[in-house]
Amino acid sequence: QVQLVETGGGLVQTGGSLRLSCLASGDTQCISAMGWYRQAPGKERELVSTITSVDSLYYADSVKGRFTISRDKDKNTMWMQMNSLKPEDTAIYYCVVRAYLCAGGNSYWGQGTQVTVSS
């Protein structure tokens, strides 16, 4: 199993920046990819960005050029730098880990961290 702890959410004005962190513990050697989802009020959960074990990156079109995902495998930590934030970025952001490098793999979710962008 993998446990995830997210930090870094908060309230920021339009155009501001925030940096989210996700610390993984447990069976971290099983992690094949990490990423961030978000869910805004009244909307479906949305995949924001992912980074794989070979550092292949994905960004949703809505955040390309503004968000940057990164990862330190030795520290079992992932970050997402969010710049030029917009009110539509307001959501609960969830760290997600796919741990499929080991038998019986699974996906794990963090508890979520609130990001609020005021206009």
Side-chain angles (χ1 to χ4, degrees), residues 60-75:
D61 287 342
S62 57
V63 306
K64 280 181 181 176
R66 301 188 297 121
F67 291 10
T68 303
I69 193 170
S70 59
R71 176 184 178 183
D72 186 325
K73 295 177 186 178
D74 292 335
K75 296 181 179 179

Side-chain angles (χ1 to χ4, degrees), residues 37-109:
Y37 277 78
R38 68 185 180 186
Q39 188 164 22
K43 294 188 177 181
E44 293 187 355
R45 196 166 288 183
E46 174 191 17
L47 177 61
V48 178
S49 182
T50 61
I51 182 167
T52 70
S53 58
V54 294
D55 292 332
S56 176
L57 307 179
Y58 164 84
Y59 295 100
D61 287 342
S62 57
V63 306
K64 280 181 181 176
R66 301 188 297 121
F67 291 10
T68 303
I69 193 170
S70 59
R71 176 184 178 183
D72 186 325
K73 295 177 186 178
D74 292 335
K75 296 181 179 179
N76 296 314
T77 303
M78 173 182 63
W79 299 272
M80 187 161 70
Q81 178 67 39
M82 305 186 296
N83 298 329
S84 302
L85 283 162
K86 304 174 181 180
E88 50 263 44
D89 295 318
T90 295
I92 299 174
Y93 284 72
Y94 297 91
C95 172
V96 180
V97 159
R98 301 189 190 278
Y100 289 98
L101 294 181
C102 302
N106 211 339
S107 293
Y108 300 91
W109 292 72

